[in-house]
Each structure stands twice: as structure tokens, then as C-alpha cells.
Amino acid sequence: MNSKIGPIAVFDSGYGGLTVLEKLREKLPEYDFIYLGDNARTPYGTRSFDVVYEYTLEAVKKLFSMGVHLIVLACNTASAKALRTIQQKDLPNIDNSKRVLGVIRPSAEAVSEYTQTNKVGVLGTVGTVQSFSYPMELTKQSDSIQTYQEACPMWVPLVENGEAHSEGADYFIQKNISQLLSQEKGIDTIILGCTHYPLLIDKINKYMPKKCTVLSQGDIVSDSLVDYLKRHPEMDQKCSKNASVSFYTTENTEKFKQTAGYFLKEDIEVKHIQLSVSSDQ
Ligand code: DGL
């Protein structure tokens, strides 16, 4: 489909991007959105650069073929490992009038406005932490910012498996927060560098010292997209505006509906989508 106007797509490896979609719908209520979760192949956080790039590019191509002009990679791991190559190498070959945006730069910009001590903590997946994308982006904001990272490999599986509110979640959340803070006592601002983590916010707040400001990406990314659309009226004109949202998953639709229902608190229609042969296995 090569329509002149189309919905804005929000892509994530699983359910985490729903936290970004929710805020986008609040701030841009008249726009149409497509949500695509690659739930069949989640998590991305433990996968190699090549695999995350390959999966993300498949999703980007599929969304473009559905009439989308603008994609937000809500997934930090995909933003860290695939965004730059897709923007620089693939987009010029696919269609240079289309755009793919990520979440790491807007998050780094926002964090730098909050920290007083210039000591910033990042909680993220193994992939995001190992990519060093946050330290690099934060240094671009200011040379004096020091970044301390902690990978939380169990947090995404807790969300994906519906264990976000379980006692088991307490153990891993307390452990990773205390490991991050033990790296540097002066950390005063912490970015939840994974879209799944706001779904654990009650427990994160339970173990986070009051002196630390915790920033989730929903508000940051939605503010940044509002600003982007103002600065790019040519893209804004390509975004359809009927206040609709459609959900797609590479997994079983009933499973998606059930788990997404915990977070969305609304009844949704979900369609299955195939990105590659392996996503149907
Ligand atoms: N939600 C993704 C992120 O923001 C990661 C989840 C995963 O490991 O697939 O990094």
C-alpha cells in the first residue's frame, strides 16, 4: 500500500511500547496509530546486534508496506542496535521521504535537564547497556555528565510473563536498583531505559531512594514527537487523523489481548502479523 497519508507506527519487541503508545495517544489524540509488538521473538535485549537489526528492519519494512510514513522505535534495544543503520543505510534505499525515530536521544536530552549532581543512572537491557548508547548520548548533552549503567535481564521476562506484580519481581528489582546505586552514591536522576520498565513502576518506586528522580520514557518520547511534528509539517501532513489505533502482534492474538489488557485497561482488537517464517513458529 502506498497511501499518501497513514498512521504513525509504534514498534516494540513486545508489550513495553504500550507505555509509549499510551502517552502518544494522550498528547496526539486525533492521530491514527498502529502498534506492532514482535512478541514471538521477544526479548531483544539479550540478542546480538545483527539479529536485533535484522528483526527491526523486517518490522520497519512491513510497517512501511502498510502505508505508514513515520515509525517510532519505542524499543530502546532496537533504537540502540538498529536505528542508526536503518536511518543511514536502509532508508535511502527504501524511501527517503519516510522516517524512523528512536527513544534514546530524546531521553538523554530530558535527563540532562533534571540532574543536579551530573551523575545519571541508566537501567536497561543487556543489549542497551552494552551498546553504550546512553553514555554516548549523555556525553553529547554535556561533557560533565557521568553515566552509570545497570543491566536488568530479568525485568522484561517478568513483564512478558505477567509476573510484574509478583513477589519474585521484588527480588530482582531491589537487587538491580541497589547494584546501580552502589556504583555511585551521588546518582540523582535515573532513566528507565527500557519501555517495559514503567510497567514495574510501583515496585521500582518501592526500592528507589526518595532523592532519585526516576524518568520514564512515555512522556519524554511523546513530548519529543509533538515537537518533531511541529518542526516537520511535511511529515505531519502525511499522518492520518481519525483517532484510531490498531494492534498487531507476531504472537498469538489471544495471548497478546490478555497480557496487554493488564496494562491498557481497554478492550482491543488485535491482528496477527508475520515478519518472517520464524515468527510463526
Ligand atoms: N522494550 C525493549 C526496550 O525498550 C526491550 C525488551 C526486550 O528485551 O525485548 O529495550
Side-chain angles (χ1 to χ4, degrees), residues 105-124:
R105 178 166 304 169
S107 304
E109 284 168 3
V111 172
S112 61
E113 288 168 21
Y114 280 88
T115 181
Q116 302 287 317
T117 59
N118 278 335
K119 297 186 194 317
V120 171
V122 176
L123 296 164

Side-chain angles (χ1 to χ4, degrees), residues 187-204:
I187 294 173
D188 68 344
T189 308
I190 292 176
I191 180 87
L192 300 184
C194 173
T195 45
H196 283 66
Y197 297 175
L199 299 169
L200 300 165
I201 194 69
D202 290 347
K203 291 193 191 289
I204 292 171

Side-chain angles (χ1 to χ4, degrees), residues 6-23:
I8 297 172
V10 178
F11 172 69
D12 191 66
S13 60
Y15 299 109
L18 294 172
T19 61
V20 173
L21 177 71
E22 189 189 359
K23 296 292 175 185

Side-chain angles (χ1 to χ4, degrees), residues 8-27 33-39 42 72-76 103 156 159-162 164 194-200 216-222 245-271:
I8 297 172
V10 178
F11 172 69
D12 191 66
S13 60
Y15 299 109
L18 294 172
T19 61
V20 173
L21 177 71
E22 189 189 359
K23 296 292 175 185
L24 285 171
R25 287 172 73 194
E26 266 173 45
K27 300 221 169 113
F33 292 98
I34 282 186
Y35 184 84
L36 169 57
D38 193 4
N39 303 79
T42 199
V72 178
L73 296 185
C75 180
N76 286 261
V103 290
V156 170
V159 172
E160 292 290 321
N161 291 294
C194 173
T195 45
H196 283 66
Y197 297 175
L199 299 169
L200 300 165
S216 305
Q217 293 175 310
D219 283 318
I220 296 170
V221 173
S222 49
V245 56
S246 22
F247 296 88
Y248 292 85
T249 177
T250 54
E251 245 288 1
N252 175 285
T253 52
E254 276 313 306
K255 190 174 170 207
F256 183 93
K257 248 177 115 160
Q258 204 182 9
T259 308
Y262 294 136
F263 312 123
L264 288 173
K265 297 171 186 70
E266 66 180 309
D267 210 16
I268 56 168
E269 287 299 313
V270 189
K271 294 193 187 102

